[in-house]
Amino acid sequence: MALRHAVLAALLDGEYSGYQLAKAFDIGVANFWHALPQQLYLELTKLERTGLVSGRQVVQETRPNKRLFTVTDEGIAELERFAAAAAKPSFIRDDLLVKVQAVDVIGAEPVIAQLEERAKAAEAKIEVFDKLLHRLRGDLDEETYLRRGARIGPYLTCLRGREFERGNRDWCLRTAGILRDRTGT
């Protein structure tokens, strides 16, 4: 997947400025695709140049003018081509796993501390996902929303993000506990 597809998918929720898109990425899209704000601005420029998004200038009196972007019909067609293509398998690339791999030789205490810190960060992300999921479904319970909700895609990706973070938290806490038991710390 290219960044372009993640941007196009994020813009399906409406018209966004670059700043709003960066915020949307931080909240929802970041659980499956990371991008810096500079990368998003550059990608919006490319997408507009190729006709996959359209932008319009909004004049603001007390602030600098801004551009708002929406997905074009060509952009939706690009997403349809992307959706029809075979998905590539995902993989883990994580420096903390390298440290755990080497823990028998390098010493466990700093690794345990990093595992516990990662577990805390995962717990904080789980709370963010829980709030976002509640905001997306409003007063509906989850099963009702899953059957009848208006935009199910963002909800499903947030569910995946929450489960990913739960898995991270649980693995980190278990691994830290095992290492503590083995080292007697």
Side-chain angles (χ1 to χ4, degrees), residues 134 137-141:
H134 181 63
R137 73 176 177 265
D139 294 332
L140 298 176
D141 64 87

Short mmCIF file of all heavy atoms in Angstrom, two decimals, residues 134 137-141:
data_model
loop_
_atom_site.label_atom_id
_atom_site.label_comp_id
_atom_site.label_asym_id
_atom_site.label_seq_id
_atom_site.Cartn_x
_atom_site.Cartn_y
_atom_site.Cartn_z
N HIS A 134 -16.52 4.66 20.72
CA HIS A 134 -17.78 5.15 21.31
C HIS A 134 -18.28 6.37 20.55
O HIS A 134 -19.48 6.49 20.26
CB HIS A 134 -17.60 5.46 22.79
CG HIS A 134 -18.85 5.94 23.45
ND1 HIS A 134 -19.98 5.15 23.55
CD2 HIS A 134 -19.16 7.12 24.00
CE1 HIS A 134 -20.93 5.84 24.15
NE2 HIS A 134 -20.47 7.04 24.43
N ARG A 137 -19.82 5.27 17.15
CA ARG A 137 -21.11 4.57 17.18
C ARG A 137 -22.20 5.35 17.91
O ARG A 137 -23.38 4.98 17.84
CB ARG A 137 -20.96 3.17 17.76
CG ARG A 137 -20.72 3.08 19.22
CD ARG A 137 -20.67 1.62 19.70
NE ARG A 137 -20.38 1.59 21.11
CZ ARG A 137 -19.17 1.45 21.63
NH1 ARG A 137 -18.13 1.27 20.85
NH2 ARG A 137 -19.00 1.45 22.93
N GLY A 138 -21.83 6.40 18.62
CA GLY A 138 -22.83 7.22 19.31
C GLY A 138 -23.56 6.42 20.37
O GLY A 138 -22.94 5.70 21.16
N ASP A 139 -24.88 6.50 20.36
CA ASP A 139 -25.69 5.82 21.37
C ASP A 139 -25.95 4.35 21.06
O ASP A 139 -26.56 3.65 21.87
CB ASP A 139 -27.04 6.54 21.52
CG ASP A 139 -26.88 7.94 22.11
OD1 ASP A 139 -25.89 8.15 22.85
OD2 ASP A 139 -27.72 8.80 21.82
N LEU A 140 -25.50 3.88 19.91
CA LEU A 140 -25.74 2.49 19.54
C LEU A 140 -24.77 1.56 20.28
O LEU A 140 -23.61 1.91 20.49
CB LEU A 140 -25.56 2.29 18.03
CG LEU A 140 -26.51 3.05 17.12
CD1 LEU A 140 -26.12 2.82 15.66
CD2 LEU A 140 -27.95 2.64 17.36
N ASP A 141 -25.24 0.36 20.63
CA ASP A 141 -24.31 -0.63 21.15
C ASP A 141 -23.50 -1.16 19.96
O ASP A 141 -23.87 -0.97 18.80
CB ASP A 141 -25.05 -1.76 21.88
CG ASP A 141 -25.94 -2.55 20.96
OD1 ASP A 141 -25.44 -3.52 20.35
OD2 ASP A 141 -27.13 -2.19 20.83
#
